[in-house]
Amino acid sequence: MTVLGAVFRPQLPPERLRDIAHTADDAGLDELWLWEDCFLESGIASASAALAWTERLRVGVGLLPVPLRNVALTAMEAATLHRLFPGRAILGVGHGVQDWMAQTGSRVESPVTLLREHLLALRALLAGERVTADGRYVKLDAVALDWPPSTDPAPPAVFAGATGPRTMRLTGEAADGTILTGGTTPDEVRRSRQLVAEGRESAGRTGHHPVVVYLHTATGTGGAERLRAELDATGLPHGVAGPAAAVAEAVQALVEAGADTVVLQPTPDEPDPEGFIRFTAAEVSPLVPRTE
């Protein structure tokens, strides 16, 4: 089933999150997504607050940068969210922006190795296992969560972000879902699906692997100009500006290419963030087919 979400960009101050979360919950938005970008806002703290302020809204964090995080701490925070708000938290991890990681003294020589080790340990801890690891970066000595999340019918999914081919294969091998950055075209989604499938095959994994895609989106007066300015600034090739029908068409193109969830990403200078949430839920969502 196609899922539609929207981003609360951390360029907004944290105190704006309450109104955005209430608006999303009231409007019937499927998912609200947050970022843990340096040096803006905590993904876990923001997600916990947004979940507490709402009743039904699912809240995703994409991404938590693993170089900044000991895997045991990530597991403790994830387990707490999943126990407090069953079925409503979605967490993704990733390499982090390497320049930011260097600023914090946490940049590693092999980001792919770190992400693999982190994913394997994190998923095992959330499955209630006692984990001993002596990897290049992840080292645990008989660590188990005292309060693991429910594993019925399965442990909570751990998503991972990817851009390059090696990491795409890794998400298939070691994550439960993949998050693709804004600017990803439908053709790139298809290619990503192939790479993820290669990783899953190499690990002997079966079953559906969900893919989340961010979509740069602008609407309303000046929307096309704001979108063009952002794409030009980032060097990214893909986005959509216009009324609900145009946005829904762009969403459907990503879905047909293999996306399960499309998250509309407003421009950093979006003049009406609450209005963008209502636009997504009330105008775009009804135009997106929701067939299983």
Side-chain angles (χ1 to χ4, degrees), residues 226-253:
R226 286 187 284 108
L227 177 67
R228 176 48 51 197
E230 180 169 32
L231 295 181
D232 287 347
T234 59
L236 295 171
H238 184 61
V240 59
V247 176
E249 183 178 353
V251 169
Q252 188 59 25

Side-chain angles (χ1 to χ4, degrees), residues 100-175:
W100 291 339
M101 299 304 99
Q103 281 183 271
T104 63
S106 55
R107 184 170 183 167
V108 298
E109 185 177 352
S110 178
V112 172
T113 300
L114 170 57
L115 184 58
R116 175 181 285 107
E117 292 178 358
H118 194 104
L119 280 167
L120 293 174
L122 178 58
R123 289 176 60 233
L125 289 166
L126 293 178
E129 299 177 20
R130 185 171 298 277
V131 180
T132 295
D134 187 21
R136 182 173 178 181
Y137 300 111
V138 173
K139 299 182 185 296
L140 300 172
D141 182 7
V143 174
L145 297 174
D146 286 336
W147 296 104
S150 171
T151 57
D152 183 18
V158 176
F159 285 68
T163 53
R166 290 181 65 202
T167 307
M168 299 256 185
R169 293 188 183 95
L170 173 59
T171 65
E173 172 194 337

Side-chain angles (χ1 to χ4, degrees), residues 198-212:
E198 291 172 11
R200 289 181 68 75
E201 183 178 3
S202 71
R205 303 184 69 190
T206 59
H208 183 64
H209 182 99
V211 170
V212 178

Side-chain angles (χ1 to χ4, degrees), residues 51 58-60 78 81-82 85-91 156-157:
L51 287 162
R58 293 190 300 274
V59 177
L81 285 181
H82 287 302
F85 310 103
R88 294 178 55 209
I90 310 159
L91 298 182

Side-chain angles (χ1 to χ4, degrees), residues 163-166 168-169 180 184-198 211 257-258:
T163 53
R166 290 181 65 202
M168 299 256 185
R169 293 188 183 95
L180 303 178
T184 303
T185 67
D187 283 344
E188 289 170 334
V189 173
R190 292 185 184 91
R191 178 58 177 157
S192 298
R193 270 285 183 198
Q194 294 173 353
L195 293 166
V196 167
E198 291 172 11
V211 170

